[in-house]
Amino acid sequence: MMIKKLSLIRNFSIIAHIDHGKSTLADRLICLTGALDEREMKTQVLDSMDIERERGITIKAQTVRLHYHAKDGESYFLNLIDTPGHVDFTYEVSRSLAACEGSLLVIDATQGVEAQTLANVYQAFDFNHEVILVLNKVDLPAADPKRIKKQIEEVIGLDASNTIEVSAKTGFGVDKVLESIVKYLPSPRYGHKEKPLKAMLVDSWYDIYLGVVVLVRMIDGVLKKGQIIRLMSTGAKYVVDRVGVFTPKMLQIDQLGPGYFGFITASMKDVADTRVGDTITDERFPCADSVHGFKVAKPVVFCGLFPLDSASFEEMRLAMGKLRLNDASFFFERENSTALGFGFRCGFLGLLHLEIIQERLIREFSIDLVTTVPSVVYHMFMIDGGFKELHSPADMPETMKIASIREPWICATMITPDDYLGAIFKLCQDRRGIQLNLSYFGKRVIVTYDLPLSEVVFDFYDHLKSISKGYASFDYQMKDYREGDLVKMSILVNGEQVDALSMLVHRIAAEKRGRLICEKLKTLIPRHLFQIPIQAVIGGKIIARETIPALRKDVTAKCYGGDITRKRKLLEKQKEGKKRMRQFGRVEIPHDVFIQALKI
């Protein structure tokens, strides 16, 4: 197959907020260019996982090459990348955008500009993308294109006069999108066939028949079967088994040239070896420098995952290994808890990533899970001059050895109707937020806050949706680490520490948080034959306490009369027995209590 001229190639991605019709537009473009016929088409054809289809989100970046005969008589290759839209996968999105020259910005004609619309379009600007504005869902009765165009100009600052109005569902206006891609988006800016091989690794996943499949964007040189390649970050060498493109079906071709998107397989066994953003080069004639911007994805949120039945531990270990094959950013290590037994300490890119892994373990491997409270990575500076990263509160050293603790902060952007502004201010203030900006456009408001990540990870998003009746949208990015007056709060049940409920909290909020957890545990832990004290402790100081009363057997029931001393003797005997029982008795905490206790 001949390598196409760079001027006849267009590489672009579709960026949008969740549920604005990004995948539906991709389906329509695939259908119009004849990549799949009507019989093979299905909704969200590029979203391969069931979770992606159900939630209407993209988790893995997908690519497809479309063959389009334009009105100017030329035949073009359009390489479309459908990228994840969620903030958890920002690094993958940035690498996908770095591989393209242009973007389609899809905005819902009924909803308008949302928080993730802003985040994604600013990323596209950072990569000097040419942006084509597409207003979707114009066929709906609630659509207001004139108002949304004005909003685009006010909020984003783009000229909305050339906005293409489409309905991806019915197909109205989609042919104009194809012509605009050819006319307005630039062809690849660089690429020479004669230069040494240089390609960027865009994504990778595991196939049970082929091993690791690697998605690449060619920059210089040619990539073909039998070639020995090297990954520049790890130095690992492989022999290329097959080369091809997605149409969206896998199609093997002879070679990939400059400007192309395609896939390669090379008998790779582990996805962890193929890092997103890495540079692929020829082993014998390597390129001089790697692609700019590569970094290893680091977990941001940590939590413990334990099997409900301890006999399922081996099964869970195999399941975690299989998930790791398809997701290199997922990190796990073995952990032992007094209350929960054997399990794993896991690292995630964010809360959505955590939810997806949990759901896949339950759905694909039928494992019932117990999840500990999510925590973030704290930076600890020790008195002896040392530095330590703290992933779990249970691993925290003694207080006298610590000079200071720094916690991660985020910059959060919320877009909401102005009716709910007061409630959102209160929510952010309660979570130690610092207001940065407030700007109105029509009846909607953009609010920007600095917030500690630890205050956001558990239920901030649920509360935000609840107080705004689902209208507020939320987006965040990591900002920096700041010193805070943080203390470790432990929960004692019958004098024994429960590791799964330990947490790092700000000293100001510690007493309130401790009291709420103790009150909740009192209602959740079943009563025993002896009294159970529940205490929240910081260091040696008890800051909150609740007591679960004992179940009391009526020992005087058999006394039908006689002297009062007979009854008193039986009651004293029972009291001694309860004292002894409390000393030696164990409190069994049901597994579902751990999650319920943290929903306060």
Side-chain angles (χ1 to χ4, degrees):
M1 188 192 80
M2 289 286 290
I3 290 176
K4 216 165 186 72
K5 285 192 292 184
L6 285 179
S7 60
L8 299 177
I9 297 172
R10 299 288 184 272
N11 298 324
F12 67 98
S13 62
I14 303 178
I15 54 176
H17 186 77
I18 291 168
D19 206 31
H20 278 209
K22 182 171 56 164
S23 293
T24 313
L25 181 61
D27 291 352
R28 190 58 62 182
L29 292 173
I30 289 166
C31 205
L32 270 180
T33 52
L36 290 175
D37 57 39
E38 289 291 337
R39 183 174 54 83
E40 295 170 306
M41 273 304 289
K42 58 184 176 183
T43 54
Q44 288 175 255
V45 73
L46 294 180
D47 292 341
S48 51
M49 282 189 263
D50 290 340
I51 297 173
E52 290 182 307
R53 291 172 183 283
E54 283 171 26
R55 291 186 173 220
I57 57 171
T58 302
I59 296 165
K60 298 291 283 179
Q62 301 289 341
T63 183
V64 60
R65 187 174 80 177
L66 308 173
H67 204 197
Y68 177 58
H69 295 282
K71 290 177 182 175
D72 61 6
E74 292 283 4
S75 178
Y76 291 86
F77 277 164
L78 309 180
N79 293 312
L80 152 67
I81 297 190
D82 191 14
T83 56
H86 200 273
V87 66
D88 285 5
F89 309 107
T90 304
Y91 177 61
E92 280 85 342
V93 174
S94 75
R95 293 296 83 206
S96 301
L97 291 176
C100 302
E101 286 77 38
S103 298
L104 296 183
L105 176 61
V106 180
I107 296 173
D108 188 326
T110 60
Q111 301 281 338
V113 176
E114 301 276 11
Q116 280 164 340
T117 313
L118 282 178
N120 291 334
V121 78
Y122 289 148
Q123 268 201 314
F125 290 157
D126 289 342
F127 289 106
N128 298 319
H129 274 205
E130 195 65 47
V131 176
I132 294 174
L133 286 167
V134 178
L135 212 54
N136 193 19
K137 306 186 186 181
V138 292
D139 57 319
L140 294 179
D144 189 352
K146 192 179 279 186
R147 178 177 64 84
I148 304 301
K149 283 180 188 177
K150 190 182 176 188
Q151 199 181 86
I152 290 166
E153 289 181 345
E154 286 175 2
V155 180
I156 304 175
L158 286 171
D159 179 16
S161 56
N162 293 323
T163 304
I164 305 165
E165 295 181 18
V166 304
S167 168
K169 195 173 183 180
T170 63
F172 167 75
V174 179
D175 53 335
K176 293 176 187 171
V177 174
L178 285 167
E179 277 301 314
S180 296
I181 290 166
V182 168
K183 194 173 175 183
Y184 298 115
L185 294 189
S187 56
R189 299 182 183 101
Y190 41 77
H192 298 280
K193 188 181 169 184
E194 296 76 25
K195 281 189 175 181
L197 170 65
K198 185 179 184 179
M200 185 170 88
L201 198 156
V202 178
D203 205 354
S204 61
W205 58 92
Y206 190 80
D207 185 284
I208 54 170
Y209 302 110
L210 304 173
V212 178
V213 179
V214 178
L215 184 63
V216 295
R217 154 70 154 94
M218 295 293 293
I219 296 168
D220 289 320
V222 174
L223 191 53
K224 47 187 154 187
K225 186 180 173 180
Q227 196 169 346
I228 301 170
I229 57 166
R230 175 155 56 90
L231 300 178
M232 289 185 81
S233 75
T234 60
K237 302 170 196 172
Y238 301 98
V239 179
V240 178
D241 294 333
R242 67 183 70 204
V243 173
V245 293
F246 290 99
T247 64
K249 292 178 284 190
M250 272 186 164
L251 174 70
Q252 283 196 62
I253 59 172
D254 301 329
Q255 57 184 16
L256 292 171
Y260 275 48
F261 268 95
F263 72 87
I264 60 165
T265 62
S267 303
M268 299 174 188
K269 298 289 184 283
D270 193 352
V271 172
D273 298 337
T274 55
R275 295 167 176 174
V276 173
D278 200 356
T279 307
I280 297 171
T281 189
D282 192 283
E283 167 58 18
R284 283 172 292 185
F285 306 106
C287 58
D289 55 342
S290 57
V291 178
H292 176 68
F294 169 71
K295 63 182 182 209
V296 179
K298 277 191 170 183
V300 173
V301 175
F302 285 81
C303 85
L305 295 181
F306 295 84
L308 197 60
D309 176 11
S310 53
S312 310
F313 176 74
E314 263 319 297
E315 203 182 312
M316 185 174 171
R317 189 178 61 79
L318 291 169
M320 299 284 246
K322 284 177 183 172
L323 275 185
R324 169 87 170 141
L325 282 174
N326 253 339
D327 189 348
S329 54
F330 171 51
F331 156 86
F332 68 92
E333 63 185 9
R334 200 164 148 171
E335 186 183 39
N336 185 20
S337 163
T338 318
L340 301 170
F342 289 107
F344 296 93
R345 187 85 195 150
C346 306
F348 308 92
L349 296 172
L351 285 177
L352 179 73
H353 192 209
L354 185 157
E355 265 183 68
I356 289 160
I357 294 289
Q358 270 181 278
E359 206 163 321
R360 288 185 69 188
L361 280 169
I362 294 164
R363 190 181 293 199
E364 294 173 27
F365 303 100
S366 305
I367 295 168
D368 292 322
L369 292 173
V370 176
T371 312
T372 63
V373 56
S375 65
V376 297
V377 184
Y378 295 94
H379 286 176
M380 291 196 307
F381 294 88
M382 316 305 281
I383 285 172
D384 62 6
F387 168 78
K388 188 179 178 184
E389 279 192 353
L390 182 70
H391 295 167
S392 167
D395 302 332
M396 188 172 170
E398 293 170 27
T399 319
M400 65 269 296
K401 293 181 180 178
I402 303 166
S404 65
I405 304 176
R406 290 186 183 175
E407 60 178 335
W409 281 64
I410 58 166
C411 181
T413 305
M414 289 154 278
I415 298 183
T416 176
D418 57 7
D419 301 352
Y420 312 109
L421 199 56
I424 288 171
F425 279 164
K426 187 179 184 307
L427 175 67
C428 293
Q429 297 297 341
D430 290 348
R431 303 297 174 106
R432 296 191 284 131
I434 301 166
Q435 190 180 327
L436 298 179
N437 199 8
L438 176 72
S439 52
Y440 281 81
F441 55 98
K443 288 193 173 182
R444 291 169 78 83
V445 189
I446 302 178
V447 190
T448 312
Y449 262 90
D450 272 0
L451 286 160
L453 183 60
S454 58
E455 299 283 354
V456 174
V457 290
F458 199 74
D459 58 357
F460 181 85
Y461 190 62
D462 293 345
H463 279 295
L464 180 70
K465 284 289 177 189
S466 175
I467 61 176
S468 67
K469 297 180 182 171
Y471 285 109
S473 60
F474 174 74
D475 188 75
Y476 72 89
Q477 59 191 55
M478 294 300 296
K479 194 166 186 182
D480 53 18
Y481 274 79
R482 298 180 194 176
E483 195 173 319
D485 186 8
L486 302 166
V487 289
K488 178 187 172 183
M489 185 173 76
S490 305
I491 302 294
L492 305 183
V493 176
N494 199 30
E496 285 185 23
Q497 188 172 315
V498 183
D499 292 339
L501 295 173
S502 293
M503 62 182 78
L504 252 72
V505 290
H506 199 273
R507 198 180 293 275
I508 296 168
E511 194 177 322
K512 185 184 174 188
R513 196 84 174 266
R515 197 178 296 118
L516 286 168
I517 289 178
C518 288
E519 284 170 7
K520 196 78 180 270
L521 283 173
K522 186 182 177 180
T523 62
L524 294 169
I525 295 173
R527 287 171 71 181
H528 288 55
L529 288 167
F530 52 92
Q531 202 179 65
I532 304 168
I534 301 165
Q535 298 158 318
V537 181
I538 294 174
K541 185 185 175 187
I542 295 168
I543 57 165
R545 175 186 168 123
E546 291 289 335
T547 306
I548 300 174
L551 281 170
R552 191 162 169 268
K553 183 183 173 187
D554 189 3
V555 288
T556 60
K558 59 187 178 184
C559 294
Y560 290 104
D563 191 39
I564 187 67
T565 53
R566 287 185 66 201
K567 288 186 179 180
R568 197 171 288 143
K569 187 181 173 185
L570 288 169
L571 289 168
E572 286 297 325
K573 198 175 174 184
Q574 184 189 40
K575 194 176 173 184
E576 285 298 316
K578 293 228 183 254
K579 210 174 190 179
R580 197 160 55 249
M581 198 185 282
R582 188 180 157 194
Q583 206 172 343
F584 300 109
R586 279 184 61 82
V587 179
E588 292 297 323
I589 305 174
H591 285 295
D592 59 331
V593 165
F594 295 102
I595 289 301
Q596 292 299 321
L598 297 163
K599 290 183 177 174
I600 49 177

mmCIF file of all heavy atoms in Angstrom, residues 443-457:
data_model
loop_
_atom_site.group_PDB
_atom_site.id
_atom_site.type_symbol
_atom_site.label_atom_id
_atom_site.label_comp_id
_atom_site.label_asym_id
_atom_site.label_seq_id
_atom_site.Cartn_x
_atom_site.Cartn_y
_atom_site.Cartn_z
ATOM 1 N N LYS A 443 -27.962 33.587 33.281
ATOM 2 C CA LYS A 443 -28.418 33.137 34.601
ATOM 3 C C LYS A 443 -27.527 32.038 35.163
ATOM 4 O O LYS A 443 -27.860 31.400 36.153
ATOM 5 C CB LYS A 443 -29.864 32.624 34.509
ATOM 6 C CG LYS A 443 -30.866 33.743 34.303
ATOM 7 C CD LYS A 443 -32.278 33.246 34.524
ATOM 8 C CE LYS A 443 -33.275 34.405 34.501
ATOM 9 N NZ LYS A 443 -34.651 33.957 34.762
ATOM 10 N N ARG A 444 -26.399 31.804 34.528
ATOM 11 C CA ARG A 444 -25.455 30.790 34.996
ATOM 12 C C ARG A 444 -24.200 31.456 35.551
ATOM 13 O O ARG A 444 -23.862 32.575 35.154
ATOM 14 C CB ARG A 444 -25.090 29.815 33.876
ATOM 15 C CG ARG A 444 -26.272 28.927 33.497
ATOM 16 C CD ARG A 444 -26.002 28.159 32.221
ATOM 17 N NE ARG A 444 -25.132 27.015 32.442
ATOM 18 C CZ ARG A 444 -25.550 25.837 32.881
ATOM 19 N NH1 ARG A 444 -26.813 25.655 33.177
ATOM 20 N NH2 ARG A 444 -24.719 24.835 33.025
ATOM 21 N N VAL A 445 -23.524 30.744 36.457
ATOM 22 C CA VAL A 445 -22.360 31.310 37.146
ATOM 23 C C VAL A 445 -21.199 30.324 37.086
ATOM 24 O O VAL A 445 -21.392 29.115 37.240
ATOM 25 C CB VAL A 445 -22.684 31.581 38.650
ATOM 26 C CG1 VAL A 445 -21.566 32.368 39.307
ATOM 27 C CG2 VAL A 445 -24.003 32.289 38.802
ATOM 28 N N ILE A 446 -19.983 30.844 36.836
ATOM 29 C CA ILE A 446 -18.767 30.026 36.950
ATOM 30 C C ILE A 446 -18.111 30.374 38.288
ATOM 31 O O ILE A 446 -17.767 31.532 38.531
ATOM 32 C CB ILE A 446 -17.763 30.302 35.807
ATOM 33 C CG1 ILE A 446 -18.394 30.038 34.456
ATOM 34 C CG2 ILE A 446 -16.507 29.436 35.972
ATOM 35 C CD1 ILE A 446 -17.477 30.342 33.270
ATOM 36 N N VAL A 447 -17.977 29.377 39.160
ATOM 37 C CA VAL A 447 -17.352 29.571 40.470
ATOM 38 C C VAL A 447 -16.046 28.785 40.495
ATOM 39 O O VAL A 447 -16.031 27.608 40.128
ATOM 40 C CB VAL A 447 -18.260 29.056 41.615
ATOM 41 C CG1 VAL A 447 -17.707 29.485 42.968
ATOM 42 C CG2 VAL A 447 -19.679 29.524 41.450
ATOM 43 N N THR A 448 -14.957 29.443 40.907
ATOM 44 C CA THR A 448 -13.659 28.758 41.016
ATOM 45 C C THR A 448 -13.203 28.777 42.463
ATOM 46 O O THR A 448 -13.191 29.824 43.110
ATOM 47 C CB THR A 448 -12.599 29.462 40.132
ATOM 48 O OG1 THR A 448 -13.159 29.678 38.837
ATOM 49 C CG2 THR A 448 -11.354 28.614 39.981
ATOM 50 N N TYR A 449 -12.857 27.599 42.970
ATOM 51 C CA TYR A 449 -12.430 27.436 44.367
ATOM 52 C C TYR A 449 -11.148 26.623 44.446
ATOM 53 O O TYR A 449 -10.940 25.713 43.640
ATOM 54 C CB TYR A 449 -13.502 26.675 45.169
ATOM 55 C CG TYR A 449 -14.429 27.548 45.983
ATOM 56 C CD1 TYR A 449 -15.611 28.040 45.443
ATOM 57 C CD2 TYR A 449 -14.133 27.862 47.305
ATOM 58 C CE1 TYR A 449 -16.479 28.835 46.194
ATOM 59 C CE2 TYR A 449 -14.989 28.646 48.066
ATOM 60 C CZ TYR A 449 -16.149 29.126 47.514
ATOM 61 O OH TYR A 449 -17.001 29.913 48.274
ATOM 62 N N ASP A 450 -10.296 26.951 45.417
ATOM 63 C CA ASP A 450 -9.207 26.060 45.825
ATOM 64 C C ASP A 450 -9.756 25.192 46.953
ATOM 65 O O ASP A 450 -10.324 25.724 47.923
ATOM 66 C CB ASP A 450 -8.007 26.865 46.364
ATOM 67 C CG ASP A 450 -7.047 27.259 45.244
ATOM 68 O OD1 ASP A 450 -7.329 26.895 44.078
ATOM 69 O OD2 ASP A 450 -6.040 27.921 45.523
ATOM 70 N N LEU A 451 -9.614 23.857 46.817
ATOM 71 C CA LEU A 451 -10.145 22.936 47.823
ATOM 72 C C LEU A 451 -9.110 21.866 48.162
ATOM 73 O O LEU A 451 -8.364 21.428 47.272
ATOM 74 C CB LEU A 451 -11.403 22.233 47.302
ATOM 75 C CG LEU A 451 -12.698 23.038 47.226
ATOM 76 C CD1 LEU A 451 -13.665 22.383 46.257
ATOM 77 C CD2 LEU A 451 -13.357 23.131 48.596
ATOM 78 N N PRO A 452 -9.048 21.386 49.422
ATOM 79 C CA PRO A 452 -8.170 20.253 49.727
ATOM 80 C C PRO A 452 -8.761 18.991 49.085
ATOM 81 O O PRO A 452 -9.972 18.741 49.219
ATOM 82 C CB PRO A 452 -8.216 20.151 51.259
ATOM 83 C CG PRO A 452 -8.951 21.361 51.728
ATOM 84 C CD PRO A 452 -9.774 21.861 50.603
ATOM 85 N N LEU A 453 -7.943 18.207 48.398
ATOM 86 C CA LEU A 453 -8.428 17.009 47.708
ATOM 87 C C LEU A 453 -9.056 16.007 48.678
ATOM 88 O O LEU A 453 -10.023 15.328 48.346
ATOM 89 C CB LEU A 453 -7.276 16.352 46.929
ATOM 90 C CG LEU A 453 -7.617 15.114 46.092
ATOM 91 C CD1 LEU A 453 -8.660 15.431 45.033
ATOM 92 C CD2 LEU A 453 -6.374 14.545 45.432
ATOM 93 N N SER A 454 -8.530 15.954 49.907
ATOM 94 C CA SER A 454 -9.053 15.004 50.892
ATOM 95 C C SER A 454 -10.518 15.294 51.240
ATOM 96 O O SER A 454 -11.266 14.402 51.641
ATOM 97 C CB SER A 454 -8.204 15.048 52.165
ATOM 98 O OG SER A 454 -8.178 16.356 52.701
ATOM 99 N N GLU A 455 -10.949 16.568 51.091
ATOM 100 C CA GLU A 455 -12.335 16.942 51.397
ATOM 101 C C GLU A 455 -13.271 16.649 50.221
ATOM 102 O O GLU A 455 -14.490 16.703 50.351
ATOM 103 C CB GLU A 455 -12.423 18.447 51.733
ATOM 104 C CG GLU A 455 -11.619 18.879 52.942
ATOM 105 C CD GLU A 455 -12.276 18.515 54.258
ATOM 106 O OE1 GLU A 455 -13.416 18.021 54.246
ATOM 107 O OE2 GLU A 455 -11.639 18.705 55.314
ATOM 108 N N VAL A 456 -12.687 16.369 49.057
ATOM 109 C CA VAL A 456 -13.479 16.164 47.838
ATOM 110 C C VAL A 456 -13.665 14.683 47.530
ATOM 111 O O VAL A 456 -14.679 14.276 46.976
ATOM 112 C CB VAL A 456 -12.799 16.885 46.636
ATOM 113 C CG1 VAL A 456 -13.507 16.587 45.324
ATOM 114 C CG2 VAL A 456 -12.757 18.380 46.883
ATOM 115 N N VAL A 457 -12.664 13.843 47.941
ATOM 116 C CA VAL A 457 -12.628 12.466 47.424
ATOM 117 C C VAL A 457 -13.814 11.586 47.796
ATOM 118 O O VAL A 457 -14.118 10.664 47.049
ATOM 119 C CB VAL A 457 -11.323 11.715 47.819
ATOM 120 C CG1 VAL A 457 -10.138 12.242 47.104
ATOM 121 C CG2 VAL A 457 -11.097 11.694 49.306
#
